[in-house]
Structure formats: C-alpha cells, structure tokens
C-alpha cells in the first residue's frame, strides 16, 4: 500500500509540474511578439553600428569593436586573481594545518575533512582546483576550501519542498511547510492572482508542499511561480 501511495504522489507531482510549464508557456506567449520586435530593433541598430565602424578598423580603440577588444584584452579572469591571492596566503603557512572542503549547493551544504596538509600540499590542492575559494580561520588557523555546486545537496534532494510561509512568501522548506523549517525565502506571492489563475488542486499542492528532487525541478517551480511575485524594493527580501 505504501508503494502504491508513493507512486500516486509522484504521479500527482509530475502532473503539477507539467501543468505549471504549460501555464507558463501560455502566459509568456502574449509577450512573445513584443519581445521579438525588441530583438529585431536591437539587432538592426547593432548591425548598423558595426557596419559603420567596420571601415575604420577593428583595432581602433575609438570604434565600438576596437573598444570592446581593448577592454577584453585588459581583463584578467577572476579565477587567476583568486589563485594568486590564495597562493600568497598559503605560502605564509609554516606548519601542517587541518583542512576542509565545504561543498555549497544551491540548496544545502556539506563539509568534509581533507586532513593535515603542509603549505605546499595546500597550494597544490588550490592549483588543481582554481575555482575553490580559500578561507583561513583566524583563531584556529584551519584552512577551508569552498566549492560552489549548481545542484541540490543529497539531503535537499530527499527533503526540499517548495511552499508558502506565514507571510505569503514562496519559500523552500526542509520537509513540509507545516514544519516551518525554512531553508530559503524567495519572494512574496500575489495570492489573489495565484488562486484566480491556477486550479484549486494546484494551489492546495503548493500549500501542502511541492517536493523537488533535482535542480531542473527546482528551477522549474521557482521560474513558474515568479510570474506571481509581488514586486518589492531591492533588499526588502532576504535569503535564509
């Protein structure tokens, strides 16, 4: 019976996601012609600018093409700068340090020990993973590398649920919204518009909680309900 109930819940969730995707397509269809017109206008203006200045030479910094090339040539990747700064910090270590890896997901974190390492070993680790962000704790001297991962953590894949909190905000919960264990708050919802646009069972599903098990479902739900967000002053909402 438990297996049958679980399959039914999974089927209901898939149906909800399908409906939300279709609804989003219909809502955006009305704006498609206006968007297309804007793209055509911008494309035409861009072509005229490039065609006009192409006669002057791509290398001339006074032309749009030349200015872009000169700017790009002067830029240095953030990862290179970060690697250089991290190397300088690690070169100052004279003993063996406890080191850790913090995996920071879109939802959730995982911290694991890398063991004791010397300065050169830590520098080698940093060079092998230039995108890892380095921090050295002032009190203990422990070294932590942070890796940002565009995915849900294993725990979030098991427990993360979208729902509405007590202030009508779309939030991500650890478990059902009834437990009120908020992982992150996104934006306030226009409940009146939401209830008038969506079927009652879909609204009820949101109140009960829509579970997401991967980044695709996470982005799909978040993108769909953003159409019902109440615009707020920048900085008024915060992530938790």
């Amino acid at each position: 019976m438990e297996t049958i109930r679980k399959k039914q819940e999974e089927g209901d969730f898939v149906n909800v996601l399908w409906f939300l995707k279709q609804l989003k397509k219909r809502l955006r269809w009305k704006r498609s012609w206006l968007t297309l017109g804007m793209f055509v206008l911008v494309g035409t203006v861009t072509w005229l600018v490039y065609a006009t200045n192409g006669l002057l030479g791509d290398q001339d910094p006074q032309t749009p093409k030349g200015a872009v090339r000169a700017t790009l040539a002067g830029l240095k990747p953030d990862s290179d700068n970060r690697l250089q700064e991290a190397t300088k910090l690690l070169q100052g270590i004279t003993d063996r340090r406890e080191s850790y890896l913090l995996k920071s997901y879109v939802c959730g974190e995982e911290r694991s020990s890398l063991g004791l390492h010397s300065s050169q070993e830590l520098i080698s680790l940093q060079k092998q993973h230039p995108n890892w962000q380095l921090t050295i704790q002032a009190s203990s001297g422990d070294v932590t590398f942070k890796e940002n991962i565009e995915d849900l953590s294993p725990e979030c894949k098991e427990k993360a649920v979208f729902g509405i909190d007590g202030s009508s905000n779309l939030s991500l919960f650890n478990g059902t919204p009834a437990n009120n264990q908020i992982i992150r708050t996104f934006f306030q919802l226009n409940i009146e518009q939401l209830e008038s646009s969506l079927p009652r069972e879909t609204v009820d599903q949101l109140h009960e909680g829509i579970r997401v098990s991967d980044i695709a479902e996470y982005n799909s739900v978040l993108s769909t309900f953003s159409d019902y967000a109440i615009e707020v002053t920048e900085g008024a909402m915060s992530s938790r």
Side-chain angles (χ1 to χ4, degrees):
M1 293 295 294
E2 180 66 22
T3 301
I4 294 176
R5 185 183 65 81
K6 185 175 181 180
K7 288 184 177 180
Q8 290 175 339
E9 291 178 350
E10 292 176 349
D12 292 341
F13 174 72
V14 171
N15 290 335
V16 169
L17 281 183
W18 179 89
F19 174 80
L20 292 177
K21 289 178 181 178
Q22 296 303 314
L23 177 63
K24 192 173 184 63
K25 288 180 180 179
R26 290 198 297 269
L27 289 173
R28 289 180 173 174
W29 177 256
K30 296 179 180 180
R31 296 174 295 199
S32 61
W33 287 107
L34 178 60
T35 303
L36 178 62
M38 291 298 295
F39 273 119
V40 171
L41 177 61
V42 171
T44 302
V45 172
T46 302
W47 180 85
L48 288 174
V49 170
Y50 273 77
T52 302
N53 290 281
L55 299 174
L56 300 178
D58 291 351
Q59 304 304 320
D60 186 349
Q62 300 302 317
T63 67
K65 280 187 179 181
V68 171
R69 289 178 181 273
T71 301
L72 291 177
L75 292 179
K76 196 167 189 178
D78 289 342
S79 59
D80 287 350
N81 292 332
R82 186 165 57 245
L83 179 58
Q84 290 180 7
E85 293 173 1
T87 300
K88 289 179 181 179
L89 287 174
L90 294 172
Q91 285 174 341
I93 294 178
T94 57
D95 55 350
R96 297 179 69 82
R97 298 286 181 87
E98 288 286 352
S99 56
Y100 301 89
L101 174 61
L102 176 63
K103 293 183 177 181
S104 180
Y105 296 85
V106 173
C107 169
E109 291 183 340
E110 284 186 335
R111 182 181 175 88
S112 59
S113 174
L114 297 176
L116 282 169
H117 291 286
S118 67
S119 173
Q120 290 303 313
E121 290 171 338
L122 291 170
I123 291 174
S124 178
L125 268 175
Q126 181 70 85
K127 288 182 177 179
Q128 291 173 28
H129 306 280
N131 291 325
W132 287 3
Q133 298 174 11
L134 171 71
T135 58
I136 301 178
Q137 190 172 346
S139 57
S140 64
D142 290 349
V143 174
T144 298
F145 294 104
K146 180 181 178 183
E147 179 185 10
N148 294 314
I149 302 174
E150 284 295 314
D151 198 0
L152 310 184
S153 71
E155 182 179 5
C156 279
K157 288 181 179 180
E158 292 292 329
K159 300 180 180 179
V161 171
F162 275 101
I164 303 176
D165 65 16
S167 300
S168 300
N169 299 316
L170 180 70
S171 297
L172 193 67
F173 295 84
N174 182 15
T176 64
N179 294 334
N180 202 34
Q181 296 182 7
I182 298 176
I183 299 173
R184 183 177 181 183
T185 296
F186 297 95
F187 43 76
Q188 189 174 23
L189 290 166
N190 185 328
I191 301 299
E192 182 178 351
Q193 182 186 8
L194 186 73
E195 292 180 343
S196 64
S197 302
L198 299 177
R200 186 64 206 178
E201 56 268 22
T202 304
V203 177
D204 291 341
Q205 181 87 27
L206 182 60
H207 281 286
E208 294 170 4
I210 299 176
R211 194 173 76 82
V212 289
S213 58
D214 58 44
I215 192 65
E217 293 175 352
Y218 175 96
N219 288 332
S220 177
V221 174
L222 184 59
S223 175
T224 297
F225 285 104
S226 66
D227 287 337
Y228 303 98
I230 296 177
E231 293 186 6
V232 294
T233 303
E234 184 177 356
M237 296 294 295
S238 60
S239 301
R240 302 183 185 181

